[in-house]
Amino acid sequence: MTITQRLWLMAGIFMVVLTVFSGISIWGNKQMIDSGERIHELSFAKDQMADVSVLMRENRAQVFLAMQHDPSNEHIADMHKHQVDVHFDNIIKNRDAITAAIQKYEALPVKSVFEKASNNFTEKRNTYVKEGLAVAIQLLKAGKFHEANDHALNKVNPLMIDAVTAYDALIADINSESKRVRQEADDLAAWLTSLLIGVSVISFLLVLSQAILAIRSVRSSIGDVSQQITRAATSMKFDIQLSVSGQYVGDLDTLKKGVNASSDSVSFMMRELEKVMQGLGAGKFDVQMDPKVPHAFRSLVEHALHSVTLVISDINM
């Protein structure tokens, strides 16, 4: 694999990692948003039912306050500076607020998760209202304060306890679901963090491995070339063995071939030059260089030989 190919590979890894990061982040953000919306919905449901519970207790308190208007207890009745109808008006106002809160709760999609607990609470509350609270109000409006008191003790209070127990069970289910959703969100966040870290580490190792291979290949080839050039520089003669012999691919293989070709060319020319020098040493001035020697260099040598021949001829004359 060439250096260019390795660079393209590293760029490709980076783009893949970027795409994976983006995809995971988008999906993770959507999941976290969904979890946040569900937690908010559960919190809203809990708030609505909490309002219902408070208003139910308030209506019960209004019934007992209305009982204090009993004319037979003048001392207590005189403590109230308003008519008993004020308490009935408060009960009606609270009833309307309860109805509005329950409608908001029932409009939530999350209500289906608590269908059983919701139905049980609705049943207990309706029983409390119809058989307990409504009857007590009718007795009070009829002026039957004693009967209303007995009814409150024997019916309103027990039915209220049943309704509150059903309410507590519903709230427990909502809290349990909220805890589960929060835990899922925390687990998802931890999983996404681990996944992104894992992808980052793997990508870093892949890029690092390619970079190390590229650097190692370059260093090896450059070291080999440098070694051969040093040998050539310190050698008294060039021979065919002064070449780069490492196994390389791509650009480095091209470099190796170029260095080897240059070494072979120089060795060939030096051998030819050595052949001429040996001929001169033997008194032969007609030694011819191989035609493969570049024409410019061969012409210079042949011209020099011719000049030496002319000088010697003049001396002999």
Side-chain angles (χ1 to χ4, degrees), residues 236-239 264-277 289 293 297:
M236 296 301 295
K237 58 185 293 185
F238 288 86
D239 56 60
D264 291 343
S265 177
V266 172
S267 296
F268 170 71
M269 292 177 65
M270 291 302 293
R271 285 196 300 271
E272 289 299 310
L273 185 59
E274 184 180 11
K275 181 175 69 175
V276 172
M277 297 302 293
M289 300 186 77
V293 174
F297 183 76

Side-chain angles (χ1 to χ4, degrees), residues 100-312:
I102 290 178
Q103 287 176 347
K104 291 179 181 179
Y105 167 76
E106 291 182 343
L108 297 173
V110 75
K111 174 184 175 293
S112 60
V113 178
F114 317 109
E115 195 72 35
K116 183 177 179 180
S118 297
N119 292 339
N120 183 51
F121 172 71
T122 300
E123 179 184 350
K124 297 297 183 183
R125 175 183 171 273
N126 289 338
T127 301
Y128 159 71
V129 171
K130 293 177 181 179
E131 299 181 11
L133 199 62
V135 174
I137 293 172
Q138 290 174 0
L139 291 172
L140 289 170
K141 287 183 176 181
K144 299 178 181 180
F145 290 92
H146 181 72
E147 290 84 348
N149 184 66
D150 289 340
H151 182 76
L153 295 176
N154 298 321
K155 267 293 189 179
V156 174
N157 285 348
L159 291 175
M160 179 67 179
I161 292 173
D162 290 344
V164 169
T165 301
Y167 164 80
D168 290 340
L170 175 58
I171 294 300
D173 286 353
I174 293 176
N175 288 336
S176 177
E177 179 67 10
S178 297
K179 183 178 180 181
R180 185 190 67 80
V181 173
R182 284 190 175 89
Q183 186 61 49
E184 284 186 351
D186 292 341
D187 293 343
L188 177 62
W191 181 79
L192 286 174
T193 300
S194 299
L195 180 61
L196 291 176
I197 291 175
V199 171
S200 300
V201 171
I202 293 174
S203 303
F204 173 76
L205 292 177
L206 286 174
V207 173
L208 181 62
S209 65
Q210 292 300 317
I212 290 175
L213 289 175
I215 293 172
R216 182 180 296 174
S217 180
V218 170
R219 289 184 61 184
S220 176
S221 60
I222 292 177
D224 197 359
V225 170
S226 176
Q227 182 180 11
Q228 296 306 322
I229 292 175
T230 301
R231 288 181 57 194
T234 57
S235 177
M236 296 301 295
K237 58 185 293 185
F238 288 86
D239 56 60
I240 197 64
Q241 296 179 349
L242 292 177
S243 62
V244 180
S245 59
Q247 298 298 318
Y248 308 110
V249 295
D251 298 335
L252 296 179
D253 185 59
T254 302
L255 174 63
K256 183 191 76 172
K257 291 178 179 177
V259 170
N260 288 343
S262 298
S263 176
D264 291 343
S265 177
V266 172
S267 296
F268 170 71
M269 292 177 65
M270 291 302 293
R271 285 196 300 271
E272 289 299 310
L273 185 59
E274 184 180 11
K275 181 175 69 175
V276 172
M277 297 302 293
Q278 289 175 350
L280 289 175
K284 298 178 180 180
F285 298 98
D286 57 349
V287 177
Q288 297 294 318
M289 300 186 77
D290 193 298
K292 294 179 180 179
V293 174
H295 176 72
F297 183 76
R298 190 174 71 249
S299 297
L300 289 174
V301 174
E302 290 177 350
H303 179 72
L305 290 175
H306 179 69
S307 298
V308 172
T309 301
L310 293 176
V311 171
I312 293 176

Side-chain angles (χ1 to χ4, degrees), residues 87-101:
H87 301 293
F88 298 148
D89 291 341
N90 289 337
I91 290 173
I92 292 173
K93 182 177 68 175
N94 292 338
R95 180 199 63 191
D96 293 341
I98 289 173
T99 301

